[in-house]
Amino acid sequence: MKALIVADIEEKSLYDHFRPERWANAGIQVVISCGDLKPTYLDFLASMFNVPCLYVRGNHDVTYEANPPGGWVNLDGKVHRLGGIGFYGLEGSPWYNGGPAQYTEGQMAWRARWTRLHHWTGGGIDVLVSHAAPRMCPNRSTDCPCVYPPDGSMARNVGQACAVDADRRVLDMGDIPHRPFDALRSLVLSLQPRFLLHGHMHLGYGVRPRELALGRTRIIDAYGHAIVDLQ
């Protein structure tokens, strides 16, 4: 199943400069939003591609409750099956100012427990869709001087070397809104879905590449857009 995944920014090639002939042979079978996109943008994508559309909210999607995107399925907290593939969503970012779709690490840990239950009772989760990213560093985040420097600085970690292995680039951000979830890392390592699709990290920050791996799970950043074969 070929998926168009989107997150964080509206791309002109998919909106203002959309050309149907460019996408006619792309074979898109599902569109997945990983958050922080306006409902009008998602409405446009749904009308142009006319395929199943799935989403989770990001921390900036503050209008969705009053004005949800038309023709889209909210994946948050539920299993949705398409073509034999089980999708599951976990919305939001780390808590930083009390806005909608923000969660503490403890709250996300509880949500991860419910995800495991849905995995076992809902026929299995093949594709986990989130807005926030999982922690990639194998050290617990609270003990990691790379991500949380002892001087309290919250740099974006661009080019920063791991304190344990100087040849390894730091892949986790230290500022509070963009800190990755420990709970997502544990969830991925325990369930090992085929994919975790996320947004929020913004490839332009230069911290992570488009794709990483946790065990057998492919971790893909949907920033802007990407096409992924989910089979």
Side-chain angles (χ1 to χ4, degrees), residues 201-213:
M201 294 295 286
H202 291 252
L203 292 178
Y205 293 165
V207 175
R208 295 189 181 189
R210 171 76 75 180
E211 181 169 346
L212 293 165

Side-chain angles (χ1 to χ4, degrees), residues 101-116:
Q102 296 177 23
Y103 299 91
T104 65
E105 185 65 53
Q107 289 172 328
M108 187 57 74
W110 274 108
R111 304 194 83 220
R113 292 187 181 98
W114 281 109
T115 303
R116 291 180 176 90

Side-chain angles (χ1 to χ4, degrees), residues 1 15 23 32 40-41 56 62 70 142 148 151 161 187 190 200 204 206 224 231:
M1 178 181 292
Y15 203 20
W23 297 94
I32 301 171
T40 51
Y41 182 64
V56 294
V62 296
T142 53
Y148 309 118
D151 63 1
L187 180 63
S190 64
H200 195 52
Q231 299 295 344

Side-chain angles (χ1 to χ4, degrees), residues 3-6 30-34 54 72 75 87 127 129 197 230:
L4 172 67
I5 61 174
V6 295
V30 61
V31 182
I32 301 171
S33 170
C34 295
L54 315 174
W72 289 72
L75 276 181
F87 297 84
V127 181
V129 180
L197 312 175
L230 300 178

